[in-house]
């Protein structure tokens, strides 16, 4: 038996060695935080929410500008939407490490910036020319023409590589900011998102009405939008079936339950799929240890788990950075309000006592009570171990460990 398990354990460990770790996902904010000379650039990537865009892309190049270079941009007093377009020019949607920059086919390349990739740039505006010159110098210049026949704007030179994770993210310093009259043109601010109206149009009218009936809660949701917010909105049928439980809650508990559906971080669907684990909510207090749930990817689905229920994301209502709203098929029930029934597991019967002396089957233990305060035991175990969301790497590690233990 042990010898037959050895190859399986070895295979698991071998596969584990080649699996990418979730910890390898890049975080532009943390990387630049190690370089104080880019603190201003880092700050504006955050408040324009471009940092989120960078972090969720699998292949990206960031042309970082130091604090002195950012001063020349800020001196033009752009509005935040215009500044966002200017900074988008400095984000290329392809990978260019230092080695690749010096090995360009034909000595030059044209790369699409995020300004072009978003569709906001007309014509060929938003593309960046990259040229490899004699002596190892590399220049960058923004193409600024809606018709496609104007010369590129003044060049900025490659200074150094800051961080490279081939072929995932490359962060390089350039000497000067890229300029573009089209990117610098006044940009209209996006229309503010009306949370409750958006919900009502997409089958979440009952949950929207609950928010409107508690002004303090609605205000909390609205005030968190600019900083980044993801809302999980139960569909009308889910709210309707949940209302008997909701009516029995205290006013304070009702507020906590509604706030429990807000995650104070903007996340696209892709972001939710790749950032599994235990997350805080708008109901979480300063200690950060209560009113949390677990986001988990299960095949094509994204689920939200508490000790009481598992809800599944069904559709997107809004996905407009910095706010996203998704429908879910159940009301999220925090275990702080809906504690599971604690039942003592019966002792296992001896094998010879499986039948009574009369030959009849022994009675089965009673099933757990089914009511509003009960929760499956496996949900409790999952939530108690929240944060230990089993990725493929964790699963293989656990499998290999079990197999090794069986061989001993």
């Amino acid at each position: 038996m042990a010898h037959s398990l050895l190859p399986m354990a070895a295979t698991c460990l071998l596969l584990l060695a080649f699996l990418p770790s979730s910890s390898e996902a890049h975080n532009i904010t943390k990387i630049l935080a190690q370089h104080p000379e880019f603190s201003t650039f880092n700050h504006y990537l955050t408040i324009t929410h471009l940092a989120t865009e960078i972090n969720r892309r699998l292949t990206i190049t960031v042309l970082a500008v130091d604090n002195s270079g950012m001063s020349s941009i800020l001196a033009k007093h752009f509005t935040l939407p215009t500044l966002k377009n200017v900074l988008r020019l400095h984000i290329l949607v392809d990978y260019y490490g230092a080695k690749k920059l010096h090995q360009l086919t034909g000595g030059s390349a044209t790369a699409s910036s995020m300004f072009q990739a978003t569709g906001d740039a007309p014509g060929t505006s938003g593309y960046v020319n990259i040229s490899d010159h004699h002596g190892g110098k590399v220049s960058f210049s923004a193409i600024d023409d809606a018709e496609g026949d104007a010369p590129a704007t003044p060049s900025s030179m490659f200074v150094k590589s800051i961080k490279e994770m081939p072929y995932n993210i490359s962060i390089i310093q350039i000497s000067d900011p890229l300029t573009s009259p089209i990117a610098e043109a006044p940009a209209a601010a996006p229309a503010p998102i009306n949370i409750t109206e958006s919900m009502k149009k997409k089958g979440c009218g009952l949950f929207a009405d609950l928010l409107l009936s508690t002004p303090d809660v609605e205000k909390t949701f609205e005030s968190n939008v600019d900083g980044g917010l993801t809302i999980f909105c139960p569909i009308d049928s889910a709210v309707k079936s949940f209302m008997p439980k909701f009516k029995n809650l205290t006013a304070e508990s009702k507020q906590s339950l509604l706030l429990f559906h807000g995650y104070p971080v903007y996340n696209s669907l892709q972001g939710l799929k790749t950032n599994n684990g235990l997350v805080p909510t708008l109901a979480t207090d300063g200690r950060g240890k209560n009113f949390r749930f677990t986001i988990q990817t299960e095949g094509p689905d994204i689920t939200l788990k508490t000790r009481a229920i598992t809800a599944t994301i069904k559709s997107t209502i809004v996905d407009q950075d910095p706010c996203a709203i998704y429908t879910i098929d159940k009301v999220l029930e925090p275990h702080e309000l809906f504690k599971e029934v604690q039942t003592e597991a019966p002792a296992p019967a001896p094998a010879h006592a499986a039948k009574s002396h009369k030959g009849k089957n022994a009675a089965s233990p009673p099933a757990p009570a089914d009511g509003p305060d009960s929760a499956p035991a496996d949900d409790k175990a999952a939530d108690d171990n929240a944060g230990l969301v089993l990725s493929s790497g964790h699963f293989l590690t656990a499998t290999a460990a079990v197999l090794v233990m069986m061989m001993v």
Side-chain angles (χ1 to χ4, degrees):
M1 175 69 173
H3 291 295
S4 63
L5 291 175
L6 184 58
M8 190 181 299
T11 301
C12 287
L13 293 172
L14 183 61
L15 288 173
L16 178 63
F18 290 96
L19 280 172
S21 168
S22 59
S23 64
E24 293 175 359
H26 57 264
N27 186 312
I28 184 66
T29 305
K30 290 183 178 180
I31 294 172
L32 289 179
Q34 301 173 22
H35 305 272
E37 65 271 28
F38 300 102
S39 60
T40 305
F41 183 75
N42 197 16
H43 170 72
Y44 282 99
L45 287 181
T46 298
I47 67 171
T48 57
H49 301 286
L50 288 174
T52 302
E53 287 288 326
I54 293 169
N55 291 341
R56 74 181 184 181
R57 287 181 176 263
L58 299 179
T59 303
I60 203 82
T61 298
V62 180
L63 308 178
V65 180
D66 65 14
N67 295 339
S68 175
M70 282 298 297
S71 295
S72 65
I73 294 178
L74 298 177
K76 297 180 180 180
H77 304 290
F78 295 132
T79 62
L80 195 60
T82 299
L83 178 59
K84 185 172 185 176
N85 283 341
V86 172
L87 292 179
R88 279 173 169 168
L89 276 177
H90 297 75
I91 305 168
L92 309 182
V93 292
D94 199 354
Y95 180 84
Y96 288 93
K99 183 177 180 180
K100 183 176 178 178
L101 290 174
H102 292 94
Q103 295 178 349
L104 299 175
T105 302
S108 65
T110 300
S112 175
S113 73
M114 193 175 285
F115 182 44
Q116 170 61 223
T118 56
D120 293 334
T124 57
S125 296
Y127 284 99
V128 175
N129 277 339
I130 307 174
S131 300
D132 182 17
H133 304 279
H134 293 296
K137 294 183 178 181
V138 178
S139 65
F140 301 84
S141 58
I143 299 176
D144 191 51
D145 179 40
E147 304 299 328
D149 57 2
T153 54
S155 298
S156 178
M157 305 303 295
F158 170 82
V159 176
K160 66 181 181 181
S161 174
I162 300 172
K163 177 76 173 182
E164 294 185 21
M165 296 172 62
Y167 300 89
N168 186 2
I169 184 171
S170 172
I171 307 172
I172 59 179
Q173 180 183 359
I174 58 175
S175 60
D176 302 284
L178 299 180
T179 59
S180 163
I182 291 180
E184 295 173 7
I193 297 171
N194 187 314
I195 292 174
T196 53
E197 284 301 315
S198 298
M199 290 178 177
K200 289 182 176 182
K201 292 177 181 178
K202 296 292 181 70
C204 287
L206 293 180
F207 188 78
D209 289 340
L210 290 177
L211 294 183
L212 292 170
S213 67
T214 47
D216 288 345
V217 171
E218 183 193 12
K219 183 178 179 180
T220 300
F221 274 90
E222 297 285 356
S223 64
N224 276 272
V225 168
D226 288 343
L229 179 64
T230 302
I231 304 171
F232 301 101
C233 180
I235 56 179
D236 286 342
S237 59
V239 176
K240 186 176 180 179
S241 63
F242 180 76
M243 284 308 294
K245 290 184 182 180
F246 185 78
K247 290 177 180 178
N248 288 330
L249 296 174
T250 65
E252 182 180 358
S253 294
K254 288 177 180 178
Q255 290 191 13
S256 295
L257 182 133
L258 294 174
L259 292 171
F260 191 60
H261 290 75
Y263 171 28
V265 175
Y266 164 74
N267 263 291
S268 64
L269 280 177
Q270 182 60 37
L272 292 172
K273 285 182 178 179
T274 57
N275 294 301
N276 286 188
L278 195 64
V279 299
T281 67
L282 294 177
T284 304
D285 65 15
R287 295 175 300 157
K289 293 185 178 180
N290 65 344
F291 288 101
R292 300 182 296 174
F293 58 80
T294 299
I295 298 175
Q296 188 165 340
T297 302
E298 298 183 351
D301 296 327
I302 302 172
T303 60
L304 315 177
K305 294 188 175 185
T306 74
R307 293 182 184 178
I309 60 96
T310 296
T312 301
I313 293 178
K314 306 304 291 184
S315 64
T316 301
I317 295 179
V318 171
D319 184 359
Q320 180 181 312
D321 190 0
C323 181
I325 307 176
Y326 305 106
T327 65
I328 54 177
D329 62 354
K330 295 179 184 177
V331 174
L332 298 176
E333 300 181 18
H335 74 84
E336 288 84 356
L337 303 180
F338 301 92
K339 295 186 182 297
E340 66 278 7
V341 173
Q342 300 292 337
T343 59
E344 184 176 348
H352 65 273
K355 293 185 179 182
S356 67
H357 66 279
K358 293 184 179 181
K360 296 181 180 180
N361 292 334
S364 300
D370 183 15
D373 292 335
S374 64
D378 55 347
D379 280 346
K380 179 183 184 302
D383 202 45
D384 284 341
N385 292 290
L388 247 172
V389 179
L390 291 180
S391 63
S392 55
H394 292 126
F395 176 76
L396 287 172
T397 302
T399 303
V402 171
L403 291 172
V404 170
M405 289 175 65
M406 292 175 66
M407 291 186 292
V408 175

